[in-house]
């Protein structure tokens, strides 16, 4: 198991005309993220500690005031030696029914039907995982969140995939929880996934949305995610593990906030809204009965009536990198090589169909292919490729040799 050190810098600046209250979720150690140090530039006004959820840091920021938090941690694939026992209270908590993770009689009947004939918890959970990645489609274009809506439209994003998996697991007495975090190496790249608790093994990561990303269904996403995130080529490995290049900010949705979150109903109709389980929430102005829908890594409360609410106002921003100079350099060179190579390929296509310049016809491929090959070599060195990327690299190599032989 290869462990790597990462540094993530989070920043939130109050860009409104009034105060903004901010609840920040302090990342918690697990089998895939350890040795975490979290250093803020501002001392929290209140820290709410919790036995098995994240500690919450509360701030009340004046207009223009900036909160900066540096997170250093060691990320890895699942450390099988990192086991933990849970209390009765914790088990009951992660079997409960909530707005975003409902446990109804209907859900229970469906889950029991799916796992029929399977006895152990780990086998039953895997059968649920395989059912979900077969029956539901990935899409980031939709309105409304909630398991009921997801089941009806048969598509959703990472949060919806994780939520229905947790609902099914909880319905058959397997403790399950949602994790809200980010891919570490790409700037502001939120993600959500799940974990299940298995006796004598502890919490095990499960990422149904990545399990759905089949090469034949999502070829371009597969190439992009391999380049940027280093995802597993075999997506079934996302049951029980992940690639170790992500950070979970917070555990589970609908987190009770302290000090108490009192909804501010004075907001413009053009602010960002989210329909959660049939109820519309003005993000940053309203809560779910004093609870944050989820923290990634914050939930804010705005006191000014903004015409619109941007991503930065609602979530802040962050960047991450390897702490190793060599690893950071190879990652940046890899990304730059692919970006330049693909840009030159696009220019080549434009020249073929529009410009038809004879000199560029030979020059652009000679320039593009070495950049793409360098990116692919670094992908292999960093163990971040997939079959589609390697096949593409093989044909590019043949094309490059053909061009050179004709010069």
């Amino acid at each position: 198991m290869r462990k790597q050190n990462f540094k993530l810098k989070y920043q939130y600046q109050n860009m409104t005309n009034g105060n903004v209250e901010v609840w920040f979720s302090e990342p918690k150690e697990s089998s895939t993220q350890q040795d975490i140090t979290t250093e803020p530039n501002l001392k929290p006004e209140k820290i709410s500690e919790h036995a098995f959820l994240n500690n919450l840091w509360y701030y009340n920021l004046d207009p223009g005031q900036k909160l900066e938090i540096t997170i250093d941690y060691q990320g890895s694939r699942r450390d099988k030696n990192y086991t933990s026992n849970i209390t009765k209270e914790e088990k009951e908590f992660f079997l409960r029914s909530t707005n975003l993770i409902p446990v109804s009689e209907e859900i229970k009947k469906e889950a029991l039907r799916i796992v029929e004939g399977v006895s152990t918890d780990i086998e039953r959970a895997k059968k649920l995982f395989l059912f979900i990645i077969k029956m539901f489609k990935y899409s980031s274009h939709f309105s409304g969140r909630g398991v009921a809506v997801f089941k009806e439209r048969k598509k959703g994003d990472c949060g919806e995939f994780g939520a229905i998996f947790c609902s099914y697991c909880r319905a058959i007495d397997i403790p399950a929880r949602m994790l809200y975090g980010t891919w570490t190496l790409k700037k502001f790249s939120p993600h959500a996934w799940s974990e299940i608790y298995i006796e004598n093994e502890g919490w095990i990561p499960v990422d149904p949305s990545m399990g759905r990303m089949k090469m034949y269904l999502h070829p371009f996403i597969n190439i992009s995610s391999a380049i940027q995130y280093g995802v597993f080529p075999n997506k079934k490995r996302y049951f029980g593990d992940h690639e170790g290049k992500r950070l979970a900010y917070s555990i589970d949705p609908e987190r009770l906030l302290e000090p108490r979150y009192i909804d501010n109903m004075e907001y413009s109709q053009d602010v960002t809204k989210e329909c959660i389980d049939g109820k519309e929430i003005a993000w940053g102005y309203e809560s779910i009965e004093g609870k944050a829908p989820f923290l990634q890594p914050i939930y804010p409360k705005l006191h000014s009536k903004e015409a619109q609410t941007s991503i930065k106002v609602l979530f802040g921003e962050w960047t991450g990198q390897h702490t190793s100079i060599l690893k950071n350099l190879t990652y940046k060179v890899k990304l730059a090589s692919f970006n330049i190579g693909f840009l030159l390929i696009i220019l080549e296509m434009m020249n073929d169909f529009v410009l038809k310049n004879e000199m560029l016809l030979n020059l652009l491929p000679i320039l593009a292919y070495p950049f793409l090959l360098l990116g692919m070599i670094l992908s292999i060195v960093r163990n971040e490729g997939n079959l589609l990327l390697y096949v593409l690299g093989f044909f590019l190599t043949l094309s490059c040799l053909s061009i050179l032989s004709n010069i």
Side-chain angles (χ1 to χ4, degrees), residues 98-223:
T98 70
N99 290 284
L100 283 170
I101 307 178
V103 182
S104 63
E105 282 301 314
E106 179 188 355
I107 290 285
K108 184 174 182 178
K109 287 179 182 178
E110 290 177 6
L112 288 172
R113 176 178 55 80
I114 295 165
V115 303
E116 188 176 1
V118 181
S119 56
T120 67
D121 281 352
I122 191 72
E123 289 172 338
R124 294 197 301 165
K126 187 169 186 178
K127 202 161 184 179
L128 292 171
F129 169 82
L130 294 174
F131 172 83
I132 290 168
I133 65 175
K134 179 182 179 182
M135 296 300 296
F136 296 92
K137 297 179 180 179
Y138 181 87
S139 174
S140 58
H141 303 290
F142 58 88
S143 59
R145 289 192 177 276
V147 167
V149 180
F150 183 53
K151 285 173 61 183
E152 182 180 347
R153 68 185 173 223
K154 300 294 184 185
K155 63 180 181 179
D157 69 359
C158 53
E160 308 311 298
F161 272 85
I164 197 169
F165 176 74
C166 287
S167 288
Y168 281 145
C169 285
R170 291 182 183 186
I172 56 174
D173 295 324
I174 301 174
R177 63 189 188 184
M178 283 291 295
L179 300 181
Y180 297 91
T182 181
W183 299 99
T184 305
L185 296 176
K186 189 172 184 292
K187 182 179 180 180
F188 191 82
S189 189
H191 189 46
W193 62 102
S194 314
E195 286 185 339
I196 54 170
Y197 181 78
I198 302 297
E199 290 289 343
N200 301 319
E201 292 193 46
W203 288 101
I204 296 174
V206 180
D207 192 339
S209 67
M210 288 308 302
R212 172 63 186 178
M213 294 292 179
K214 307 295 185 183
M215 193 172 296
Y216 59 90
L217 292 172
H218 311 91
F220 295 110
I221 294 179
N222 262 278
I223 291 175

Side-chain angles (χ1 to χ4, degrees), residues 146-302:
V147 167
V149 180
F150 183 53
K151 285 173 61 183
E152 182 180 347
R153 68 185 173 223
K154 300 294 184 185
K155 63 180 181 179
D157 69 359
C158 53
E160 308 311 298
F161 272 85
I164 197 169
F165 176 74
C166 287
S167 288
Y168 281 145
C169 285
R170 291 182 183 186
I172 56 174
D173 295 324
I174 301 174
R177 63 189 188 184
M178 283 291 295
L179 300 181
Y180 297 91
T182 181
W183 299 99
T184 305
L185 296 176
K186 189 172 184 292
K187 182 179 180 180
F188 191 82
S189 189
H191 189 46
W193 62 102
S194 314
E195 286 185 339
I196 54 170
Y197 181 78
I198 302 297
E199 290 289 343
N200 301 319
E201 292 193 46
W203 288 101
I204 296 174
V206 180
D207 192 339
S209 67
M210 288 308 302
R212 172 63 186 178
M213 294 292 179
K214 307 295 185 183
M215 193 172 296
Y216 59 90
L217 292 172
H218 311 91
F220 295 110
I221 294 179
N222 262 278
I223 291 175
S224 175
S225 59
I227 292 170
Q228 299 188 52
Y229 309 133
V231 301
F232 289 147
N234 180 358
K235 300 303 186 293
K236 289 184 181 179
R237 291 171 66 189
Y238 280 103
F239 180 86
D241 207 353
H242 67 59
E243 69 301 308
K245 294 168 185 172
R246 57 177 77 179
L247 174 70
Y249 288 130
S250 64
I251 300 171
D252 239 44
E254 297 168 68
R255 178 68 191 275
L256 184 66
L257 301 175
E258 297 179 12
R260 183 185 171 194
Y261 194 105
I262 301 174
D263 293 353
N264 177 8
M265 305 307 293
E266 295 293 323
Y267 56 81
S268 165
Q269 290 304 305
D270 293 326
V271 300
T272 299
K273 296 176 183 176
E274 194 81 69
C275 188
I276 297 176
D277 196 31
K279 181 183 178 182
E280 193 172 64
I281 300 288
W283 204 271
Y285 289 95
E286 296 179 286
S287 63
I288 303 175
E289 299 176 348
K291 301 172 184 176
F294 55 83
L295 295 106
Q296 202 167 36
I298 67 158
Y299 193 69
K301 179 184 173 183
L302 281 60

